[in-house]
Structures are given as C-alpha cells and as structure tokens.
PDB file of all heavy atoms in Angstrom:
ATOM      1  N   ASP A  18     -18.201  -1.254 -25.099  1.00 94.00           N
ATOM      2  CA  ASP A  18     -17.936  -2.594 -25.678  1.00 94.00           C
ATOM      3  C   ASP A  18     -16.628  -2.704 -26.388  1.00 94.00           C
ATOM      4  O   ASP A  18     -16.140  -3.841 -26.619  1.00 94.00           O
ATOM      5  CB  ASP A  18     -19.067  -2.962 -26.641  1.00 94.00           C
ATOM      6  CG  ASP A  18     -19.549  -4.378 -26.458  1.00 94.00           C
ATOM      7  OD1 ASP A  18     -19.384  -4.922 -25.339  1.00 94.00           O
ATOM      8  OD2 ASP A  18     -20.088  -4.974 -27.416  1.00 94.00           O
ATOM      9  N   ILE A  19     -16.044  -1.623 -26.863  1.00 96.00           N
ATOM     10  CA  ILE A  19     -14.809  -1.687 -27.606  1.00 96.00           C
ATOM     11  C   ILE A  19     -13.600  -1.204 -26.804  1.00 96.00           C
ATOM     12  O   ILE A  19     -12.601  -1.909 -26.684  1.00 96.00           O
ATOM     13  CB  ILE A  19     -14.872  -0.800 -28.915  1.00 96.00           C
ATOM     14  CG1 ILE A  19     -16.090  -1.238 -29.776  1.00 96.00           C
ATOM     15  CG2 ILE A  19     -13.588  -0.920 -29.699  1.00 96.00           C
ATOM     16  CD1 ILE A  19     -16.058  -2.663 -30.225  1.00 96.00           C
ATOM     17  N   ALA A  20     -13.718  -0.049 -26.174  1.00 97.00           N
ATOM     18  CA  ALA A  20     -12.595   0.506 -25.359  1.00 97.00           C
ATOM     19  C   ALA A  20     -12.235  -0.362 -24.187  1.00 97.00           C
ATOM     20  O   ALA A  20     -11.060  -0.634 -23.928  1.00 97.00           O
ATOM     21  CB  ALA A  20     -12.914   1.919 -24.929  1.00 97.00           C
ATOM     22  N   PRO A  21     -13.211  -0.829 -23.332  1.00 96.00           N
ATOM     23  CA  PRO A  21     -12.841  -1.611 -22.146  1.00 96.00           C
ATOM     24  C   PRO A  21     -11.950  -2.824 -22.402  1.00 96.00           C
ATOM     25  O   PRO A  21     -10.917  -2.990 -21.745  1.00 96.00           O
ATOM     26  CB  PRO A  21     -14.191  -1.964 -21.529  1.00 96.00           C
ATOM     27  CG  PRO A  21     -15.061  -0.848 -21.962  1.00 96.00           C
ATOM     28  CD  PRO A  21     -14.692  -0.569 -23.339  1.00 96.00           C
ATOM     29  N   PRO A  22     -12.325  -3.742 -23.324  1.00 96.00           N
ATOM     30  CA  PRO A  22     -11.428  -4.887 -23.512  1.00 96.00           C
ATOM     31  C   PRO A  22     -10.030  -4.530 -23.989  1.00 96.00           C
ATOM     32  O   PRO A  22      -9.055  -5.153 -23.641  1.00 96.00           O
ATOM     33  CB  PRO A  22     -12.176  -5.765 -24.508  1.00 96.00           C
ATOM     34  CG  PRO A  22     -13.123  -4.875 -25.197  1.00 96.00           C
ATOM     35  CD  PRO A  22     -13.509  -3.830 -24.191  1.00 96.00           C
ATOM     36  N   LEU A  23      -9.951  -3.467 -24.852  1.00 97.00           N
ATOM     37  CA  LEU A  23      -8.643  -3.040 -25.328  1.00 97.00           C
ATOM     38  C   LEU A  23      -7.799  -2.534 -24.190  1.00 97.00           C
ATOM     39  O   LEU A  23      -6.594  -2.877 -24.063  1.00 97.00           O
ATOM     40  CB  LEU A  23      -8.807  -1.940 -26.389  1.00 97.00           C
ATOM     41  CG  LEU A  23      -9.402  -2.399 -27.730  1.00 97.00           C
ATOM     42  CD1 LEU A  23      -9.667  -1.182 -28.616  1.00 97.00           C
ATOM     43  CD2 LEU A  23      -8.458  -3.358 -28.435  1.00 97.00           C
ATOM     44  N   LEU A  24      -8.372  -1.744 -23.303  1.00 96.00           N
ATOM     45  CA  LEU A  24      -7.609  -1.243 -22.161  1.00 96.00           C
ATOM     46  C   LEU A  24      -7.175  -2.360 -21.230  1.00 96.00           C
ATOM     47  O   LEU A  24      -6.048  -2.374 -20.761  1.00 96.00           O
ATOM     48  CB  LEU A  24      -8.484  -0.212 -21.393  1.00 96.00           C
ATOM     49  CG  LEU A  24      -8.854   1.055 -22.125  1.00 96.00           C
ATOM     50  CD1 LEU A  24      -9.841   1.912 -21.312  1.00 96.00           C
ATOM     51  CD2 LEU A  24      -7.585   1.881 -22.434  1.00 96.00           C
ATOM     52  N   ILE A  25      -8.084  -3.284 -20.968  1.00 95.00           N
ATOM     53  CA  ILE A  25      -7.719  -4.380 -20.081  1.00 95.00           C
ATOM     54  C   ILE A  25      -6.694  -5.306 -20.680  1.00 95.00           C
ATOM     55  O   ILE A  25      -5.784  -5.779 -19.959  1.00 95.00           O
ATOM     56  CB  ILE A  25      -8.990  -5.162 -19.667  1.00 95.00           C
ATOM     57  CG1 ILE A  25      -9.901  -4.255 -18.859  1.00 95.00           C
ATOM     58  CG2 ILE A  25      -8.664  -6.388 -18.857  1.00 95.00           C
ATOM     59  CD1 ILE A  25     -11.263  -4.830 -18.555  1.00 95.00           C
ATOM     60  N   LEU A  26      -6.731  -5.527 -21.965  1.00 94.00           N
ATOM     61  CA  LEU A  26      -5.703  -6.337 -22.632  1.00 94.00           C
ATOM     62  C   LEU A  26      -4.334  -5.640 -22.471  1.00 94.00           C
ATOM     63  O   LEU A  26      -3.282  -6.321 -22.309  1.00 94.00           O
ATOM     64  CB  LEU A  26      -6.019  -6.511 -24.134  1.00 94.00           C
ATOM     65  CG  LEU A  26      -7.095  -7.515 -24.479  1.00 94.00           C
ATOM     66  CD1 LEU A  26      -7.460  -7.441 -25.966  1.00 94.00           C
ATOM     67  CD2 LEU A  26      -6.649  -8.963 -24.118  1.00 94.00           C
ATOM     68  N   GLY A  27      -4.314  -4.334 -22.507  1.00 94.00           N
ATOM     69  CA  GLY A  27      -3.051  -3.625 -22.307  1.00 94.00           C
ATOM     70  C   GLY A  27      -2.585  -3.652 -20.865  1.00 94.00           C
ATOM     71  O   GLY A  27      -1.381  -3.469 -20.608  1.00 94.00           O
ATOM     72  N   LEU A  28      -3.462  -3.878 -19.899  1.00 91.00           N
ATOM     73  CA  LEU A  28      -3.090  -3.857 -18.500  1.00 91.00           C
ATOM     74  C   LEU A  28      -2.759  -5.246 -17.970  1.00 91.00           C
ATOM     75  O   LEU A  28      -2.237  -5.340 -16.841  1.00 91.00           O
ATOM     76  CB  LEU A  28      -4.253  -3.285 -17.684  1.00 91.00           C
ATOM     77  CG  LEU A  28      -4.525  -1.770 -17.850  1.00 91.00           C
ATOM     78  CD1 LEU A  28      -5.815  -1.428 -17.140  1.00 91.00           C
ATOM     79  CD2 LEU A  28      -3.373  -0.963 -17.371  1.00 91.00           C
ATOM     80  N   ARG A  29      -3.040  -6.282 -18.720  1.00 89.00           N
ATOM     81  CA  ARG A  29      -2.803  -7.615 -18.181  1.00 89.00           C
ATOM     82  C   ARG A  29      -1.344  -7.839 -17.832  1.00 89.00           C
ATOM     83  O   ARG A  29      -0.455  -7.139 -18.313  1.00 89.00           O
ATOM     84  CB  ARG A  29      -3.336  -8.685 -19.154  1.00 89.00           C
ATOM     85  CG  ARG A  29      -2.526  -8.882 -20.452  1.00 89.00           C
ATOM     86  CD  ARG A  29      -3.257  -9.787 -21.400  1.00 89.00           C
ATOM     87  NE  ARG A  29      -2.392 -10.185 -22.509  1.00 89.00           N
ATOM     88  CZ  ARG A  29      -2.157  -9.425 -23.568  1.00 89.00           C
ATOM     89  NH1 ARG A  29      -2.657  -8.230 -23.661  1.00 89.00           N
ATOM     90  NH2 ARG A  29      -1.331  -9.885 -24.521  1.00 89.00           N
ATOM     91  N   ALA A  30      -1.090  -8.830 -17.006  1.00 84.00           N
ATOM     92  CA  ALA A  30       0.286  -9.110 -16.542  1.00 84.00           C
ATOM     93  C   ALA A  30       1.232  -9.248 -17.732  1.00 84.00           C
ATOM     94  O   ALA A  30       0.836  -9.807 -18.765  1.00 84.00           O
ATOM     95  CB  ALA A  30       0.252 -10.431 -15.718  1.00 84.00           C
ATOM     96  N   PRO A  31       2.455  -8.676 -17.585  1.00 86.00           N
ATOM     97  CA  PRO A  31       3.068  -8.159 -16.374  1.00 86.00           C
ATOM     98  C   PRO A  31       2.796  -6.660 -16.112  1.00 86.00           C
ATOM     99  O   PRO A  31       3.324  -6.110 -15.146  1.00 86.00           O
ATOM    100  CB  PRO A  31       4.536  -8.399 -16.609  1.00 86.00           C
ATOM    101  CG  PRO A  31       4.677  -8.200 -18.077  1.00 86.00           C
ATOM    102  CD  PRO A  31       3.414  -8.697 -18.689  1.00 86.00           C
ATOM    103  N   VAL A  32       2.068  -5.945 -16.938  1.00 88.00           N
ATOM    104  CA  VAL A  32       2.003  -4.477 -16.823  1.00 88.00           C
ATOM    105  C   VAL A  32       1.377  -4.092 -15.512  1.00 88.00           C
ATOM    106  O   VAL A  32       1.968  -3.264 -14.763  1.00 88.00           O
ATOM    107  CB  VAL A  32       1.196  -3.914 -17.998  1.00 88.00           C
ATOM    108  CG1 VAL A  32       0.976  -2.419 -17.819  1.00 88.00           C
ATOM    109  CG2 VAL A  32       1.900  -4.157 -19.336  1.00 88.00           C
ATOM    110  N   LEU A  33       0.173  -4.558 -15.183  1.00 81.00           N
ATOM    111  CA  LEU A  33      -0.481  -4.100 -14.000  1.00 81.00           C
ATOM    112  C   LEU A  33       0.235  -4.550 -12.658  1.00 81.00           C
ATOM    113  O   LEU A  33       0.499  -3.730 -11.826  1.00 81.00           O
ATOM    114  CB  LEU A  33      -1.929  -4.551 -13.982  1.00 81.00           C
ATOM    115  CG  LEU A  33      -2.865  -3.807 -12.993  1.00 81.00           C
ATOM    116  CD1 LEU A  33      -2.802  -2.329 -13.201  1.00 81.00           C
ATOM    117  CD2 LEU A  33      -4.325  -4.319 -13.170  1.00 81.00           C
ATOM    118  N   PRO A  34       0.596  -5.842 -12.530  1.00 77.00           N
ATOM    119  CA  PRO A  34       1.247  -6.209 -11.281  1.00 77.00           C
ATOM    120  C   PRO A  34       2.646  -5.667 -11.110  1.00 77.00           C
ATOM    121  O   PRO A  34       3.048  -5.410  -9.994  1.00 77.00           O
ATOM    122  CB  PRO A  34       1.238  -7.767 -11.358  1.00 77.00           C
ATOM    123  CG  PRO A  34       1.102  -8.132 -12.754  1.00 77.00           C
ATOM    124  CD  PRO A  34       0.292  -6.989 -13.378  1.00 77.00           C
ATOM    125  N   LEU A  35       3.387  -5.515 -12.206  1.00 79.00           N
ATOM    126  CA  LEU A  35       4.773  -5.045 -12.073  1.00 79.00           C
ATOM    127  C   LEU A  35       4.927  -3.546 -12.364  1.00 79.00           C
ATOM    128  O   LEU A  35       5.937  -2.969 -11.997  1.00 79.00           O
ATOM    129  CB  LEU A  35       5.686  -5.858 -13.005  1.00 79.00           C
ATOM    130  CG  LEU A  35       5.823  -7.306 -12.694  1.00 79.00           C
ATOM    131  CD1 LEU A  35       6.807  -7.982 -13.714  1.00 79.00           C
ATOM    132  CD2 LEU A  35       6.333  -7.542 -11.288  1.00 79.00           C
ATOM    133  N   GLY A  36       3.969  -3.013 -13.040  1.00 76.00           N
ATOM    134  CA  GLY A  36       4.073  -1.593 -13.444  1.00 76.00           C
ATOM    135  C   GLY A  36       3.632  -0.590 -12.401  1.00 76.00           C
ATOM    136  O   GLY A  36       3.995   0.563 -12.447  1.00 76.00           O
ATOM    137  N   MET A  37       2.848  -1.054 -11.441  1.00 74.00           N
ATOM    138  CA  MET A  37       2.390  -0.159 -10.390  1.00 74.00           C
ATOM    139  C   MET A  37       3.430  -0.079  -9.267  1.00 74.00           C
ATOM    140  O   MET A  37       4.147  -1.071  -9.014  1.00 74.00           O
ATOM    141  CB  MET A  37       1.042  -0.631  -9.783  1.00 74.00           C
ATOM    142  CG  MET A  37      -0.113  -0.564 -10.770  1.00 74.00           C
ATOM    143  SD  MET A  37      -1.637  -1.194 -10.044  1.00 74.00           S
ATOM    144  CE  MET A  37      -1.982   0.037  -8.822  1.00 74.00           C
ATOM    145  N   PRO A  38       3.557   1.023  -8.612  1.00 70.00           N
ATOM    146  CA  PRO A  38       4.399   1.066  -7.386  1.00 70.00           C
ATOM    147  C   PRO A  38       3.895   0.064  -6.397  1.00 70.00           C
ATOM    148  O   PRO A  38       2.712  -0.223  -6.284  1.00 70.00           O
ATOM    149  CB  PRO A  38       4.187   2.545  -6.889  1.00 70.00           C
ATOM    150  CG  PRO A  38       3.725   3.305  -8.071  1.00 70.00           C
ATOM    151  CD  PRO A  38       2.929   2.349  -8.888  1.00 70.00           C
ATOM    152  N   ARG A  39       4.857  -0.531  -5.646  1.00 67.00           N
ATOM    153  CA  ARG A  39       4.439  -1.616  -4.715  1.00 67.00           C
ATOM    154  C   ARG A  39       3.413  -1.145  -3.720  1.00 67.00           C
ATOM    155  O   ARG A  39       2.478  -1.937  -3.355  1.00 67.00           O
ATOM    156  CB  ARG A  39       5.681  -2.171  -4.054  1.00 67.00           C
ATOM    157  CG  ARG A  39       6.570  -3.010  -5.000  1.00 67.00           C
ATOM    158  CD  ARG A  39       7.732  -3.695  -4.259  1.00 67.00           C
ATOM    159  NE  ARG A  39       8.462  -4.539  -5.100  1.00 67.00           N
ATOM    160  CZ  ARG A  39       9.483  -4.194  -5.900  1.00 67.00           C
ATOM    161  NH1 ARG A  39       9.850  -2.905  -5.874  1.00 67.00           N
ATOM    162  NH2 ARG A  39      10.123  -5.030  -6.643  1.00 67.00           N
ATOM    163  N   ALA A  40       3.552   0.056  -3.230  1.00 58.00           N
ATOM    164  CA  ALA A  40       2.577   0.535  -2.237  1.00 58.00           C
ATOM    165  C   ALA A  40       1.204   0.665  -2.872  1.00 58.00           C
ATOM    166  O   ALA A  40       0.191   0.236  -2.259  1.00 58.00           O
ATOM    167  CB  ALA A  40       3.024   1.916  -1.714  1.00 58.00           C
ATOM    168  N   ALA A  41       1.121   1.132  -4.109  1.00 60.00           N
ATOM    169  CA  ALA A  41      -0.198   1.263  -4.784  1.00 60.00           C
ATOM    170  C   ALA A  41      -0.782  -0.111  -5.090  1.00 60.00           C
ATOM    171  O   ALA A  41      -1.940  -0.340  -4.961  1.00 60.00           O
ATOM    172  CB  ALA A  41      -0.010   2.047  -6.079  1.00 60.00           C
ATOM    173  N   LEU A  42       0.086  -1.078  -5.430  1.00 60.00           N
ATOM    174  CA  LEU A  42      -0.400  -2.433  -5.757  1.00 60.00           C
ATOM    175  C   LEU A  42      -0.996  -3.052  -4.479  1.00 60.00           C
ATOM    176  O   LEU A  42      -1.989  -3.795  -4.571  1.00 60.00           O
ATOM    177  CB  LEU A  42       0.717  -3.285  -6.303  1.00 60.00           C
ATOM    178  CG  LEU A  42       0.322  -4.692  -6.775  1.00 60.00           C
ATOM    179  CD1 LEU A  42      -0.724  -4.585  -7.873  1.00 60.00           C
ATOM    180  CD2 LEU A  42       1.485  -5.484  -7.259  1.00 60.00           C
ATOM    181  N   ARG A  43      -0.337  -2.821  -3.311  1.00 59.00           N
ATOM    182  CA  ARG A  43      -0.893  -3.356  -2.108  1.00 59.00           C
ATOM    183  C   ARG A  43      -2.314  -2.830  -1.822  1.00 59.00           C
ATOM    184  O   ARG A  43      -3.178  -3.546  -1.368  1.00 59.00           O
ATOM    185  CB  ARG A  43       0.024  -3.044  -0.904  1.00 59.00           C
ATOM    186  CG  ARG A  43       1.304  -3.909  -0.872  1.00 59.00           C
ATOM    187  CD  ARG A  43       1.965  -3.823   0.502  1.00 59.00           C
ATOM    188  NE  ARG A  43       2.424  -2.501   0.758  1.00 59.00           N
ATOM    189  CZ  ARG A  43       3.622  -2.025   0.465  1.00 59.00           C
ATOM    190  NH1 ARG A  43       4.486  -2.792  -0.181  1.00 59.00           N
ATOM    191  NH2 ARG A  43       3.980  -0.792   0.777  1.00 59.00           N
ATOM    192  N   TRP A  44      -2.490  -1.536  -2.132  1.00 56.00           N
ATOM    193  CA  TRP A  44      -3.799  -0.951  -1.948  1.00 56.00           C
ATOM    194  C   TRP A  44      -4.826  -1.558  -2.958  1.00 56.00           C
ATOM    195  O   TRP A  44      -5.998  -1.690  -2.613  1.00 56.00           O
ATOM    196  CB  TRP A  44      -3.749   0.555  -2.117  1.00 56.00           C
ATOM    197  CG  TRP A  44      -3.380   1.252  -0.851  1.00 56.00           C
ATOM    198  CD1 TRP A  44      -2.110   1.594  -0.412  1.00 56.00           C
ATOM    199  CD2 TRP A  44      -4.296   1.708   0.172  1.00 56.00           C
ATOM    200  NE1 TRP A  44      -2.171   2.207   0.784  1.00 56.00           N
ATOM    201  CE2 TRP A  44      -3.452   2.271   1.178  1.00 56.00           C
ATOM    202  CE3 TRP A  44      -5.643   1.641   0.327  1.00 56.00           C
ATOM    203  CZ2 TRP A  44      -4.047   2.834   2.333  1.00 56.00           C
ATOM    204  CZ3 TRP A  44      -6.189   2.180   1.476  1.00 56.00           C
ATOM    205  CH2 TRP A  44      -5.376   2.756   2.473  1.00 56.00           C
ATOM    206  N   PHE A  45      -4.348  -1.872  -4.107  1.00 60.00           N
ATOM    207  CA  PHE A  45      -5.261  -2.355  -5.142  1.00 60.00           C
ATOM    208  C   PHE A  45      -5.604  -3.823  -4.953  1.00 60.00           C
ATOM    209  O   PHE A  45      -6.736  -4.208  -5.244  1.00 60.00           O
ATOM    210  CB  PHE A  45      -4.604  -2.148  -6.515  1.00 60.00           C
ATOM    211  CG  PHE A  45      -5.550  -2.457  -7.640  1.00 60.00           C
ATOM    212  CD1 PHE A  45      -6.495  -1.491  -8.087  1.00 60.00           C
ATOM    213  CD2 PHE A  45      -5.493  -3.633  -8.368  1.00 60.00           C
ATOM    214  CE1 PHE A  45      -7.366  -1.732  -9.112  1.00 60.00           C
ATOM    215  CE2 PHE A  45      -6.379  -3.893  -9.388  1.00 60.00           C
ATOM    216  CZ  PHE A  45      -7.276  -2.972  -9.754  1.00 60.00           C
ATOM    217  N   ALA A  46      -4.647  -4.579  -4.520  1.00 58.00           N
ATOM    218  CA  ALA A  46      -4.806  -6.051  -4.481  1.00 58.00           C
ATOM    219  C   ALA A  46      -5.642  -6.498  -3.259  1.00 58.00           C
ATOM    220  O   ALA A  46      -5.184  -7.281  -2.433  1.00 58.00           O
ATOM    221  CB  ALA A  46      -3.460  -6.766  -4.516  1.00 58.00           C
ATOM    222  N   HIS A  47      -6.792  -5.940  -3.085  1.00 51.00           N
ATOM    223  CA  HIS A  47      -7.767  -6.388  -2.102  1.00 51.00           C
ATOM    224  C   HIS A  47      -7.274  -6.167  -0.632  1.00 51.00           C
ATOM    225  O   HIS A  47      -7.776  -6.812   0.276  1.00 51.00           O
ATOM    226  CB  HIS A  47      -8.195  -7.854  -2.317  1.00 51.00           C
ATOM    227  CG  HIS A  47      -8.751  -8.108  -3.644  1.00 51.00           C
ATOM    228  ND1 HIS A  47     -10.010  -7.749  -3.981  1.00 51.00           N
ATOM    229  CD2 HIS A  47      -8.230  -8.655  -4.764  1.00 51.00           C
ATOM    230  CE1 HIS A  47     -10.243  -8.075  -5.228  1.00 51.00           C
ATOM    231  NE2 HIS A  47      -9.168  -8.645  -5.715  1.00 51.00           N
ATOM    232  N   ARG A  48      -6.297  -5.279  -0.439  1.00 56.00           N
ATOM    233  CA  ARG A  48      -5.817  -4.990   0.922  1.00 56.00           C
ATOM    234  C   ARG A  48      -6.292  -3.623   1.379  1.00 56.00           C
ATOM    235  O   ARG A  48      -6.603  -3.418   2.532  1.00 56.00           O
ATOM    236  CB  ARG A  48      -4.293  -5.070   0.940  1.00 56.00           C
ATOM    237  CG  ARG A  48      -3.777  -6.444   0.551  1.00 56.00           C
ATOM    238  CD  ARG A  48      -2.261  -6.500   0.552  1.00 56.00           C
ATOM    239  NE  ARG A  48      -1.764  -7.722  -0.022  1.00 56.00           N
ATOM    240  CZ  ARG A  48      -0.474  -8.014  -0.165  1.00 56.00           C
ATOM    241  NH1 ARG A  48       0.431  -7.175   0.222  1.00 56.00           N
ATOM    242  NH2 ARG A  48      -0.137  -9.186  -0.700  1.00 56.00           N
ATOM    243  N   GLY A  49      -6.263  -2.667   0.456  1.00 61.00           N
ATOM    244  CA  GLY A  49      -6.790  -1.338   0.805  1.00 61.00           C
ATOM    245  C   GLY A  49      -8.206  -1.211   0.370  1.00 61.00           C
ATOM    246  O   GLY A  49      -8.812  -2.106  -0.248  1.00 61.00           O
ATOM    247  N   TRP A  50      -8.807  -0.034   0.629  1.00 64.00           N
ATOM    248  CA  TRP A  50     -10.243   0.140   0.325  1.00 64.00           C
ATOM    249  C   TRP A  50     -10.477   0.133  -1.188  1.00 64.00           C
ATOM    250  O   TRP A  50     -11.508  -0.321  -1.653  1.00 64.00           O
ATOM    251  CB  TRP A  50     -10.769   1.402   1.010  1.00 64.00           C
ATOM    252  CG  TRP A  50     -10.221   2.700   0.427  1.00 64.00           C
ATOM    253  CD1 TRP A  50      -9.108   3.374   0.852  1.00 64.00           C
ATOM    254  CD2 TRP A  50     -10.736   3.422  -0.664  1.00 64.00           C
ATOM    255  NE1 TRP A  50      -8.857   4.477   0.101  1.00 64.00           N
ATOM    256  CE2 TRP A  50      -9.873   4.571  -0.810  1.00 64.00           C
ATOM    257  CE3 TRP A  50     -11.819   3.284  -1.503  1.00 64.00           C
ATOM    258  CZ2 TRP A  50     -10.084   5.485  -1.815  1.00 64.00           C
ATOM    259  CZ3 TRP A  50     -12.026   4.223  -2.498  1.00 64.00           C
ATOM    260  CH2 TRP A  50     -11.200   5.333  -2.639  1.00 64.00           C
ATOM    261  N   ILE A  51      -9.510   0.653  -1.979  1.00 65.00           N
ATOM    262  CA  ILE A  51      -9.656   0.665  -3.414  1.00 65.00           C
ATOM    263  C   ILE A  51      -9.814  -0.757  -3.973  1.00 65.00           C
ATOM    264  O   ILE A  51     -10.657  -1.068  -4.784  1.00 65.00           O
ATOM    265  CB  ILE A  51      -8.491   1.419  -4.066  1.00 65.00           C
ATOM    266  CG1 ILE A  51      -8.440   2.880  -3.651  1.00 65.00           C
ATOM    267  CG2 ILE A  51      -8.608   1.304  -5.620  1.00 65.00           C
ATOM    268  CD1 ILE A  51      -7.287   3.637  -4.211  1.00 65.00           C
ATOM    269  N   GLY A  52      -8.904  -1.605  -3.438  1.00 67.00           N
ATOM    270  CA  GLY A  52      -8.939  -3.001  -3.902  1.00 67.00           C
ATOM    271  C   GLY A  52     -10.209  -3.715  -3.477  1.00 67.00           C
ATOM    272  O   GLY A  52     -10.787  -4.489  -4.254  1.00 67.00           O
TER     273      GLY A  52
END
C-alpha cells in the first residue's frame, strides 16, 4: 500500500516513456509479450 504508489509516481511520464530504450519501450507498450 505504501511502496507501489511511490514507485509509480516516480515512473510517470516523462521517466518511463522517455527513460527506457526505444526497443524496450516497444516491447512494453502492448507490442511485445511483456506489454
């Protein structure tokens, strides 16, 4: 209940969309199996 929202607040844009390598982001953004 405490750690998850803190981590996600830290990952919100622009960190997650711009901070990941483009190849990894493609896999994450509902294109690869991870996404």
Side-chain angles (χ1 to χ4, degrees):
D18 223 25
I19 305 299
L23 290 172
L24 295 173
I25 294 173
L26 284 172
L28 291 172
R29 72 190 191 279
V32 174
L33 196 56
L35 295 181
M37 294 178 68
R39 288 186 174 87
L42 185 60
R43 284 196 297 271
W44 274 91
F45 188 81
H47 302 284
R48 300 178 189 179
W50 68 269
I51 297 176

